[in-house]
Amino acid sequence: MFNQLMPKERLLNALFGKPIDRVPTFCCGCSQTVTVECMEAVGIYWPEAHKDPEKMAKLSASVYELTGLEVAGVPYCLTVEAEALGCEIKWGEKRDAIPQVLRTPYATPTEVEIPDNLLELGRIPVVLEAIDILKNTIGDILPIAAGLTGPFSLAGHLCGIENLLRWIIRAPEKVRGFIEVASETGSMYGKALFEAGADVVIIADPTASCDLISPETFKELVKPAIVKVVKAIGVVTFLHICGNTTPILTEMADTGVNSISIDEKVNITQAKALLGNRAKVAGNISTRSTLLLKKPEDVKEACRKALEAGVDILAPGCGIAPGTPNINIKALVEAAREFQRVRRE
């Protein structure tokens, strides 16, 4: 009988084609894993946990303790880099409010200067210290996952996504300039995440979706920037883009990432066929219509279908909504365990 693996080993084995005891569970969407129930259980809440490394680490570790989901992920939003580059952040007063960029201060890419002390600004030191804490406490058991804002989405934070989309046709040189700033920032920050102890860096670029830009725009403008970031990171990488990414899956694989995270709009069987052995498929359980709103038995049914379709890593199709019931996340983990038992029987 195959010995049971630790979650970290299970994930890495799955990514690199080594033997596994069952399909790993993970969360590789838009940099959010914790729930309000986790906050209440450990007595650590937003927005304080965004700004305190010890609270961030403890809250992140609680996800595995309380639900079994096999990840310790930080931070909980995609605004860390934008804040460090001068964007104003809206924190939100409610415990389930995810930070958002309130104002985008730049009109041209030449206005943006990447500070030499970038890694000392905003919440970047908080995230790096939280990773170090997690690495030294549970790093032998769980994969430590760090979220990074993809180049197109960060460019949108800097100048406004509406502007960015309009400039693709009217002022493509502006778009290239902002994306270059974003990719340089991502390269610096991604390398620091690895050096701090992250086992996995998740590049989340939600607005690079085919719902917003054409496959040609992704290929010409976005993909080269992601390639640059991936090369700089030096550790296992995931790439998540929201929406139906079927038209760009092969381009996403060309970036060199180890795994591609897909949401519910992407057919797993089709994704597997398109990607072959180039990248593992992670996903694609709906974070809203299934995990947030349905019952555990419905979650298990959705997971069973994903597992039967051959998903390599069972995961939510995006970041977990804070209001998600922990019992539904437990159901996702249980589905992976039960599916393996059924296959053995």
Side-chain angles (χ1 to χ4, degrees):
M1 178 178 290
F2 197 97
N3 292 329
Q4 184 175 359
L5 299 175
M6 288 289 102
K8 178 178 176 178
E9 186 178 8
R10 181 179 296 117
L11 176 68
L12 295 178
N13 280 11
L15 289 170
F16 292 106
K18 297 181 180 180
I20 54 174
D21 52 346
R22 63 168 173 80
V23 172
T25 62
F26 197 61
C27 184
C28 38
C30 290
S31 196
Q32 158 49 21
T33 59
V34 306
T35 67
V36 173
E37 284 187 29
C38 290
M39 298 181 205
E40 292 171 345
V42 297
I44 296 173
Y45 302 94
W46 294 350
E48 289 82 4
H50 295 300
K51 305 175 184 181
D52 184 308
E54 292 186 0
K55 291 181 178 180
M56 181 180 287
K58 186 174 180 180
L59 185 56
S60 296
S62 75
V63 174
Y64 177 66
E65 298 166 1
L66 297 169
T67 72
L69 191 66
E70 299 163 294
V71 61
V74 295
Y76 314 124
C77 67
L78 295 177
T79 65
V80 171
E81 302 96 312
E83 181 189 18
L85 291 175
C87 294
E88 185 178 347
I89 305 302
K90 179 181 179 181
W91 298 98
E93 297 178 359
K94 296 182 179 180
R95 290 172 177 173
D96 61 350
I98 295 176
Q100 304 290 328
V101 173
L102 183 61
R103 287 188 179 85
T104 55
Y106 304 109
T108 65
T110 55
E111 296 174 1
V112 190
E113 292 186 10
I114 303 175
D116 292 336
N117 65 336
L118 174 73
L119 302 180
E120 301 172 9
L121 300 178
R123 282 167 291 154
I124 289 180
V126 174
V127 175
L128 298 178
E129 186 175 344
I131 291 171
D132 182 66
I133 293 169
L134 289 166
K135 193 72 174 179
N136 289 317
T137 52
I138 57 175
D140 292 337
I141 299 171
L142 287 180
I144 311 303
L148 182 150
T149 310
F152 193 76
S153 298
L154 179 54
H157 287 162
L158 296 176
C159 66
I161 186 61
E162 297 84 1
N163 290 330
L164 200 66
L165 295 173
R166 185 170 61 251
W167 291 337
I168 288 174
I169 301 298
R170 298 180 181 178
E173 72 284 352
K174 280 190 175 183
V175 178
R176 292 183 186 277
F178 276 111
I179 290 177
E180 176 59 30
V181 170
S183 65
E184 182 64 28
T185 301
S187 297
M188 294 171 62
Y189 182 42
K191 184 178 179 182
L193 293 171
F194 162 59
E195 292 175 346
D199 300 300
V200 175
V201 173
I202 300 165
I203 303 168
D205 213 343
T207 55
S209 169
C210 294
D211 296 344
L212 295 176
I213 63 174
S214 69
E216 292 74 20
T217 298
F218 179 83
K219 180 179 180 179
E220 294 174 9
L221 293 179
V222 183
K223 185 175 77 170
I226 296 176
V227 169
K228 178 179 179 178
V229 175
V230 170
K231 288 181 178 179
I233 289 173
V235 72
V236 171
T237 48
F238 281 65
L239 176 58
H240 176 81
I241 297 175
C242 295
N244 181 12
T245 54
T246 304
I248 59 170
L249 282 175
T250 56
E251 302 293 342
M252 292 170 70
D254 285 344
T255 63
V257 294
N258 301 95
S259 180
I260 292 172
S261 166
I262 59 173
D263 85 1
E264 62 189 290
K265 293 183 179 180
V266 181
N267 180 279
I268 293 172
T269 303
Q270 188 176 6
K272 293 276 291 182
L274 287 169
L275 293 173
N277 294 322
R278 299 173 65 196
K280 300 299 183 182
V281 175
N284 65 339
I285 309 306
S286 172
T287 53
R288 178 169 176 78
S289 63
T290 302
L291 286 171
L292 178 63
L293 299 176
K294 290 191 176 179
K295 297 178 180 180
E297 53 266 32
D298 300 315
V299 174
K300 285 190 177 183
E301 177 62 15
C303 291
R304 181 187 63 78
K305 291 179 179 178
L307 291 162
E308 289 181 346
V311 74
D312 298 299
I313 298 162
L314 185 63
C318 195
I320 294 172
T324 301
N326 278 0
I327 194 171
N328 280 356
I329 303 176
K330 290 180 181 179
L332 183 149
V333 177
E334 290 169 2
R337 295 170 178 165
E338 291 168 1
F339 182 76
Q340 188 63 27
R341 285 204 300 269
V342 169
R343 290 182 64 183
R344 285 179 178 175
E345 293 170 0

